[in-house]
Amino acid sequence: FTEASSAFAAIGATISIDKTDPENMVLVIKKGLKRAEMPFSKNTITINGKTHEMTGITVYAPKTGKVYIPKQAVELAKAAGM
C-alpha cells in the first residue's frame, strides 16, 4: 500500500474526496481530461468508465484525512495514460 496523494502527485495527477454520500465516499483522481474513481473500502478502480479489480482495497484514515491505496492502482492509472 502507498499514500494516495503522494503516489498520484508523482505521475502529475491530483486527488480529491467525493463526500456526496458519506456512507460511500470515493477517491477521485484527475489528470488532464482523464478521471479515475476509487470507492473507499472496495477493491476497484474505475478509469474513464472502465472498472478494474485490484488485489487490495482503498483505505481512508479519517483522523489524518489520508487515503491509502494498493500500488497496483497507480500502475493501472499509468497504463491508462494518466
Side-chain angles (χ1 to χ4, degrees):
F1 283 85
T2 187
E3 197 274 315
S5 180
S6 58
F8 284 115
I11 64 168
T14 59
I15 67 164
S16 61
I17 298 173
D18 179 353
K19 298 180 180 178
T20 305
D21 179 352
E23 297 297 316
N24 296 295
M25 294 192 293
V26 177
L27 179 69
V28 178
I29 304 101
K30 292 182 184 177
K31 182 176 179 185
L33 298 176
K34 299 198 181 284
R35 175 187 173 101
E37 295 183 349
M38 298 178 68
F40 291 173
S41 302
K42 298 225 166 77
N43 68 334
T44 60
I45 181 170
T46 302
I47 306 169
N48 297 321
K50 184 175 181 185
T51 301
H52 306 270
E53 192 170 306
M54 300 180 296
T55 56
I57 65 171
T58 303
V59 178
Y60 177 55
K63 287 188 178 186
T64 62
K66 293 186 184 244
V67 180
Y68 297 91
I69 57 169
K71 290 181 181 178
Q72 180 185 14
V74 179
E75 296 306 317
L76 287 166
K78 286 183 355 187
M82 290 187 90

